[in-house]
Amino acid sequence: MARLINTCVLGVGLAGLTFHVPFILALSDFFILHSVLERNPHTEGGKVKERFGVAVKIHRSLDEVLADQEIDLVIVGTPNDTHYEFTKAALNVGKHVLVDKPVTATVEQAKELGALAKTKGLVLYAFQNRRWDTDFLALKKLLAEQETSPQSLGTITEFESHFDRFRKGLKGTWKDKPLPAAGLTYDLGPHLIDQTLCLFGRPTRITAFLQNLRGVGSPDVDDSFTILLHYDAGPRNPYPLTAILRAHILSVRAPQVRYIVRGTSGTYTKYGVDVQEDQLKVISSPNAILEDGYGMEPENLWGTVERIEADDLTVTKSIWPSKDPGAYENLFRNLGAAIRDGEELAVKWEEATSVIEMIELAHRSAKEGATVQVPFLATS
């Protein structure tokens, strides 16, 4: 039997209890939930036992975690400003790391961590879980359709991706404080940017508008953003392409817009977000992740394709189904196989570093009130 990976989850808030602990418990062919970092547990067994009825070791400090030689993998699900420090500390004592988004506050920090992991021969993995959203999987299939397909969009000229919500007040958490990597661009931006880079590669220019729209809390903590990624026409894109990434904090709509993708032959429109987060918040057992129905999007949220016919006048409309269930578990399976068997990472650290680079450029663009060039990266 293959050796199981002793795992410690740092933090038992939303990230830890919703996005990490359930998968470590469910995927018992790869992982053992060895311990968690919970500084002040209020009950015997702490939050993991309250939520899932499982007793695990509780460490009260990061130093305890680092000193525990039984731990193979550390999952960093703590506040954004701790990601760099905690990840670096874990790598330095020889532990593999899965770190939540944003992986760091700066691109230089991300590069440093990547170099450290490489030097030590350790797996460093970015938690870009929304590559496995059911609607993103459906969108990738649609964009891969041949031009002759009756639902092909043709050549893409505009890609619009949203994470909008309606929230009038602050939540009263660390996310409201003007700390490194604070604000909605660092919070939701990594998801939208990562998906866009996966689909279209590196843009040539960025124009960004970041603001504290509600005027509550610190003015330095943005609660809304619109980021434009500009792609010039070239071998990959016969037409210029603009990616419009938006997160609006006072958006009144149900369900909210998720994608609008325009091509030379048609338009794809999608409402509603992936169901996995809502399911993970209420599951009674981690094994529910492995059951039929998990990650399946209701048909009323499936996207639509509008196509122009040969007469350039008639528009036909059809459903583009999200048939493949969302599968965050695949990220964890890939992580486990990378640690145990050397499998190639599905989310490469260089890709996560590029996401932070785009966020830094977006902040620069917003501050200067100007479009900024994206540095060219030579490929070998």
Side-chain angles (χ1 to χ4, degrees):
M1 179 179 176
R3 180 177 176 275
L4 298 179
I5 301 164
N6 279 333
T7 303
C8 177
V9 176
L10 307 187
V12 285
L14 173 66
L17 288 182
T18 303
F19 291 108
H20 300 308
V21 167
F23 291 95
I24 298 303
L25 291 174
L27 300 177
S28 56
D29 51 336
F30 280 105
F31 305 102
I32 294 174
L33 183 59
H34 172 276
S35 51
V36 297
L37 172 60
E38 185 174 359
R39 297 186 188 279
N40 298 295
H42 297 297
T43 60
E44 184 179 353
K47 289 185 178 179
V48 171
K49 189 170 184 181
E50 287 178 30
R51 179 75 174 82
F52 297 110
V54 176
V56 299
K57 181 187 291 188
I58 297 177
H59 287 302
R60 304 294 187 94
S61 70
L62 180 63
D63 287 342
E64 288 184 17
V65 174
L66 300 176
D68 192 332
Q69 297 185 9
E70 294 181 350
I71 296 171
D72 304 306
L73 168 67
V74 167
I75 298 179
V76 180
T78 48
N80 294 355
D81 64 310
T82 66
H83 289 182
Y84 165 73
E85 175 191 352
F86 287 10
T87 300
K88 182 177 180 179
L91 291 172
N92 272 324
V93 296
K95 302 184 188 304
H96 305 287
V97 179
L98 170 66
V99 56
D100 221 322
K101 56 79 194 169
V103 293
T104 57
T106 72
V107 70
E108 289 306 317
Q109 290 175 342
K111 289 179 178 179
E112 179 189 345
L113 294 179
L116 177 60
K118 185 175 182 179
T119 298
K120 296 223 171 235
L122 297 168
V123 171
L124 177 58
Y125 206 114
F127 189 65
Q128 294 288 173
N129 59 309
R130 291 194 176 273
R131 293 190 187 189
W132 288 270
D133 279 1
T134 182
D135 50 15
F136 185 63
L137 297 175
L139 175 60
K140 287 203 300 181
K141 279 191 171 183
L142 176 60
L143 297 185
E145 287 286 288
Q146 297 295 317
E147 289 270 356
T148 54
S149 165
Q151 290 183 296
S152 168
L153 302 183
T155 300
I156 304 305
T157 59
E158 186 174 274
F159 173 74
E160 192 171 336
S161 181
H162 290 244
F163 271 150
D164 300 325
R165 57 182 58 159
F166 183 81
R167 182 178 296 154
K168 293 174 70 174
L170 300 176
K171 296 183 71 174
T173 69
W174 55 266
K175 290 188 177 183
D176 302 327
K177 300 176 181 178
L179 300 168
L184 203 63
T185 306
Y186 272 101
D187 186 29
L188 296 182
H191 292 314
L192 300 185
I193 293 170
D194 182 66
Q195 288 187 349
T196 306
L197 297 183
C198 284
L199 294 175
F200 305 112
R202 191 175 178 87
T204 53
R205 296 176 306 283
I206 290 181
T207 310
F209 307 89
L210 319 179
Q211 60 184 323
N212 185 316
L213 178 67
R214 296 169 298 180
V216 296
S218 171
D220 296 325
V221 179
D222 58 285
D223 62 12
S224 296
F225 63 79
T226 299
I227 300 172
L228 309 181
L229 304 184
H230 307 280
Y231 294 82
D232 291 338
R236 183 167 183 172
N237 306 301
Y239 293 85
L241 165 68
T242 302
I244 306 166
L245 313 182
R246 298 199 67 196
H248 198 292
I249 198 67
L250 294 177
S251 175
V252 181
R253 189 158 195 168
Q256 300 276 7
V257 176
R258 183 63 185 90
Y259 295 116
I260 302 174
V261 186
R262 294 179 173 88
T264 53
S265 301
T267 297
Y268 171 72
T269 306
K270 171 72 174 62
Y271 294 88
V273 297
D274 183 88
V275 299
Q276 290 178 88
E277 179 174 349
D278 286 342
Q279 290 178 325
L280 290 167
K281 287 177 178 177
V282 299
I283 56 173
S284 58
S285 165
N287 290 330
I289 294 167
L290 308 177
E291 296 174 357
D292 292 341
Y294 172 80
M296 292 299 298
E297 184 171 72
E299 292 186 19
N300 66 298
L301 291 181
W302 286 359
T304 59
V305 171
E306 295 170 271
R307 280 262 305 184
I308 192 74
E309 296 302 314
D311 61 5
D312 285 342
L313 293 172
T314 306
V315 175
T316 58
K317 192 171 184 177
S318 62
I319 298 296
W320 185 259
S322 303
K323 288 185 176 179
D324 293 329
Y328 297 163
E329 70 173 271
N330 288 348
L331 181 153
F332 287 91
R333 290 188 183 280
N334 176 240
L335 169 65
I339 292 173
R340 203 162 63 187
D341 307 317
E343 183 174 294
E344 182 179 359
L345 301 186
V347 181
K348 296 176 174 56
W349 189 254
E350 294 78 11
E351 296 167 347
T353 301
S354 291
V355 169
I356 300 303
E357 181 187 8
M358 298 304 124
I359 290 175
E360 284 193 326
L361 290 171
H363 273 272
R364 178 182 151 199
S365 170
K367 183 177 180 180
E368 296 178 359
T371 297
V372 299
Q373 290 291 130
V374 174
F376 175 75
L377 282 186
T379 56
S380 57

